[in-house]
C-alpha cells in the first residue's frame, strides 16, 4: 500500500486506508513521517516478506540521524493520543464544507477526498491551473491534479491554525471567482461575436417599410 502522500494523518487516522478495513502486507511511508521536513522514508512489511539484508537498497529516502530523531519525537508527541487525529478530522470537515459551498456557488462538480486532503474538480481542462496561478499570486499554495489539470488539490498542514485556514480558504474563493469571472466574460464575448447583426428577422420588414415611408 502506497501511503507516502496520504499517510501520517493526512486523511485523519495515521494510515489513510484504516477506514476501509484494509490490512496491507507492505506499506510505504514518506513525506510527513520525519515530522520536521527532512528526507525520510519507511517500508513496513510483514515479517514473512522481509527478505532484505542489512544495508540493502529498499527505499529512495532512507533518512539520516536527525531525521530519525525528529521522526521518533513526532510519533511520541503527535500520536501518543488522539489529539492530532481529532484535529485533522475537524480540519477535514471544515475544508469539505468550504469546498462544497464553493462548488455550489460557482456551479462546479462536488468536491472529493477524505479529511483535509480534498480535490475540487472543474468542468473544463486547464481550469485548475488558472486557479493555481491566481491563488499563488495572492500568497496561497495549492496543487493541480487530474489528467488535464482540471482538479484543484488542497493539502493543508495538519497543524494549521484557524486564522490561517480561514485566510487560505478566502484566497481560494477569490481565485475561483476571478477564474469564473474571466470565463463568464469570455463566454459573453463569444456570444456577442456569434450574434447576428441587425434587427431580428420579424422586425426587418417593418423597419424597411418605415424607412420607405420617410423617404416618400
Amino acid at each position: 500500500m502506497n501511503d507516502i502522500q496520504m499517510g501520517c494523518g493526512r486523511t485523519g487516522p495515521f494510515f489513510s486506508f484504516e477506514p476501509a478495513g484494509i490490512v496491507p502486507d507492505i506499506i510505504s511511508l514518506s513525506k510527513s513521517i520525519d515530522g520536521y521536513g527532512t528526507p525520510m522514508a519507511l517500508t513496513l512489511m510483514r515479517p514473512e516478506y522481509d527478505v532484505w539484508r542489512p544495508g540493502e537498497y529498499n527505499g529512495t529516502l532512507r533518512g539520516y540521524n536527525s531525521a530519525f530523531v525528529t521522526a521518533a519525537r513526532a510519533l511520541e508527541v503527535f500520536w501518543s493520543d488522539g489529539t492530532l487525529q481529532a484535529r485533522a478530522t475537524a480540519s477535514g470537515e471544515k475544508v469539505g464544507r468550504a469546498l462544497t459551498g464553493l462548488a455550489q456557488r460557482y456551479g462546479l462538480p462536488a468536491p472529493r477526498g477524505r479529511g483535509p486532503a480534498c480535490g475540487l474538480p472543474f468542468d473544463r481542462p486547464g481550469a485548475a491551473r488558472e486557479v493555481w496561478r491566481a491563488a499563488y499570486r495572492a500568497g496561497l499554495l495549492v496543487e493541480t491534479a487530474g489528467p488535464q489539470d482540471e482538479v484543484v488539490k488542497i493539502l493543508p498542514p495538519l497543524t494549521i491554525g484557524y486564522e490561517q485556514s480561514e485566510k487560505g480558504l478566502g484566497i481560494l474563493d477569490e481565485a475561483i471567482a476571478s477564474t469564473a469571472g474571466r470565463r463568464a466574460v469570455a463566454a459573453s464575448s463569444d456570444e456577442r461575436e456569434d450574434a447576428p447583426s441587425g434587427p431580428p428577422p420579424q422586425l426587418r420588414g417593418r423597419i424597411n417599410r418605415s424607412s420607405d415611408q420617410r423617404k416618400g
Side-chain angles (χ1 to χ4, degrees):
M1 176 69 66
N2 184 344
D3 222 19
I4 287 176
Q5 189 169 102
M6 293 301 158
C8 305
R10 278 294 183 190
T11 61
F14 187 82
F15 295 113
S16 66
F17 50 81
E18 290 183 55
I22 299 173
V23 182
D25 294 325
I26 299 175
I27 306 170
S28 57
L29 293 172
S30 187
K31 304 286 185 181
S32 303
I33 188 62
D34 74 289
Y36 200 65
T38 53
M40 183 175 178
L42 292 176
T43 301
L44 310 178
M45 65 186 71
R46 295 179 180 273
E48 58 267 32
Y49 299 121
D50 185 3
V51 298
W52 303 100
R53 294 188 299 272
E56 194 169 4
Y57 183 82
N58 59 3
T60 55
L61 302 170
R62 287 193 246 181
Y64 48 95
N65 288 347
S66 62
F68 287 113
V69 171
T70 56
R73 188 59 180 158
L75 292 174
E76 293 170 358
V77 173
F78 295 122
W79 295 101
S80 59
D81 56 28
T83 302
L84 183 62
Q85 179 172 336
R87 183 171 181 172
T89 300
S91 176
E93 292 173 352
K94 178 179 181 179
V95 170
R97 288 193 299 269
L99 294 189
T100 298
L102 292 176
Q104 294 173 348
R105 191 177 312 150
Y106 298 108
L108 302 173
R112 49 181 181 252
R114 180 180 295 157
C118 286
L120 183 61
F122 288 76
D123 54 4
R124 63 186 177 93
R129 182 159 292 275
E130 297 177 19
V131 174
W132 168 80
R133 290 194 185 98
Y136 180 78
R137 287 193 295 267
L140 176 67
L141 292 176
V142 295
E143 297 186 47
T144 62
Q148 296 179 311
D149 282 337
E150 76 279 12
V151 180
V152 172
K153 186 168 67 172
I154 314 298
L155 285 172
L158 299 183
T159 55
I160 190 171
Y162 178 83
E163 292 182 359
Q164 290 176 312
S165 178
E166 286 290 301
K167 182 178 180 180
L169 291 171
I171 292 175
L172 180 62
D173 189 342
E174 293 174 359
I176 295 175
S178 66
T179 302
R182 288 196 300 271
R183 183 181 182 187
V185 170
S188 299
S189 177
D190 292 341
E191 290 176 359
R192 287 195 298 271
E193 291 177 358
D194 295 338
S197 58
Q202 62 269 26
L203 296 179
R204 288 173 186 168
R206 300 178 188 174
I207 294 174
N208 290 337
R209 286 195 296 272
S210 298
S211 176
D212 294 339
Q213 291 173 358
R214 286 196 298 271
K215 290 179 182 178

